Amino acid sequence: MAALKIGVYLCSGPNPIFLRSIMLQLETQRWLPRYIAVHENSFSQPSYQWCCEDVSARLYRRGVDVLYLHTPTKCSIAGRFGVALQMLLATDCDTFLCMGADNFFYEEHIETLAGMLGTHDWVLNTNNEALLVRYKPAGNFLYNSTGNLAWNPIGGMPDNIVYNRKFAEIYAADLAKSAEAEDIVMGRTVGHEGLDCARIAGPTTCCYVSHGTNESTANWQDGPPPYFDKGWGK
């Protein structure tokens, strides 16, 4: 099989901590991507150059091209992700992953997902961990080693997905027509006729982190959701 040209895209808002964290996690991957597309959005002063310059230089020496764009005007959620995805589509990338800047990804994450894609157009790994960092009461956190996110419009964690260029082009076109959350849009793309999409229970390689400012799980601050009542660490 010809070597995959893997691209990872990510979006960052006004939090350099998250941006540096995800870049360091990418650097530790057993399979490095060929491209990383970074869209830093929604605040006037960019941070990538000063908070990630050293990481970017090391990745470049290992054959990774980092594509970077800063836009100061806040985009819609779909627009934010759509810009980053288009950055990858402008390359010869053939395998696409989105990795959220505020989540945890273990060193085998890219390797595992790329290996799961096979001849499918889109694959979701249904297994992930979940972490709730709570501000009420302050300093408390709850961890679940089997944090099922089946309630999501795509059926699982949005950053636990891999897809090919055929899917990426259709998804990018759908994002361009919508202002909704990217996972809602992807849920519709998965339903397009002629796409081979699969949900597979694979090895657990990532952890969804809810920290209070997430756009979809901020309400978890009031306590773990009912479907996580069993399995949360105390």
Side-chain angles (χ1 to χ4, degrees):
M1 182 179 69
L4 297 175
K5 295 177 181 176
I6 298 171
V8 172
Y9 65 100
L10 60 101
C11 303
S12 176
N15 194 326
I17 296 173
F18 289 156
L19 183 53
R20 183 167 178 84
S21 171
I22 187 61
M23 292 301 293
L24 288 170
Q25 291 182 75
L26 279 163
E27 187 181 15
T28 65
Q29 290 293 304
R30 291 203 300 236
W31 279 23
L32 287 175
R34 177 65 184 83
Y35 304 100
I36 300 172
V38 180
H39 180 206
E40 192 176 5
N41 175 245
S42 83
F43 59 110
S44 59
Q45 297 299 319
S47 65
Y48 183 83
Q49 282 85 355
W50 60 262
C51 79
C52 294
E53 184 177 20
D54 58 333
V55 186
S56 186
R58 291 193 299 267
L59 286 166
Y60 180 78
R61 290 195 292 269
R62 298 173 65 190
V64 180
D65 284 344
V66 178
L67 316 172
Y68 170 75
L69 178 67
H70 169 253
T71 53
T73 303
K74 188 174 183 178
C75 300
S76 68
I77 302 174
R80 192 182 312 153
F81 284 87
V83 166
L85 180 55
Q86 288 290 355
M87 292 164 69
L88 286 184
L89 283 170
T91 72
D92 59 350
C93 176
D94 58 23
T95 305
F96 298 76
L97 295 85
C98 178
M99 294 173 64
D102 52 357
N103 294 319
F104 297 163
F105 300 94
Y106 307 124
E107 64 177 1
E108 67 275 18
H109 180 72
I110 292 177
E111 177 185 12
T112 299
L113 278 181
M116 291 175 67
L117 183 59
T119 60
H120 300 292
D121 296 315
W122 176 95
V123 166
L124 163 71
N125 181 354
T126 59
N127 288 329
N128 61 270
E129 301 167 350
L131 172 66
L132 169 60
V133 180
R134 298 181 66 187
Y135 294 94
K136 300 183 291 185
N140 190 15
F141 72 88
L142 299 173
Y143 166 77
N144 190 332
S145 61
T146 56
N148 189 297
L149 300 182
W151 53 269
N152 188 278
I154 57 172
M157 182 176 170
D159 300 331
N160 208 7
I161 291 168
V162 60
Y163 50 90
N164 63 16
R165 194 172 190 92
K166 176 183 175 181
F167 185 95
E169 290 174 347
I170 298 172
Y171 178 43
D174 287 345
L175 284 170
K177 296 180 289 187
S178 178
E180 296 176 288
E182 83 290 353
D183 47 359
I184 294 175
V185 179
M186 182 175 281
R188 288 200 294 268
T189 305
V190 168
H192 277 244
E193 186 176 352
L195 288 174
D196 177 3
C197 300
R199 294 175 177 86
I200 301 171
T204 300
T205 63
C206 58
C207 180
Y208 178 82
V209 180
S210 178
H211 46 79
T213 60
N214 308 71
E215 289 161 319
S216 58
T217 60
N219 62 316
W220 289 11
Q221 290 299 307
D222 295 323
Y227 35 82
F228 284 152
D229 277 351
K230 296 181 179 179
W232 283 99
K234 301 297 183 183

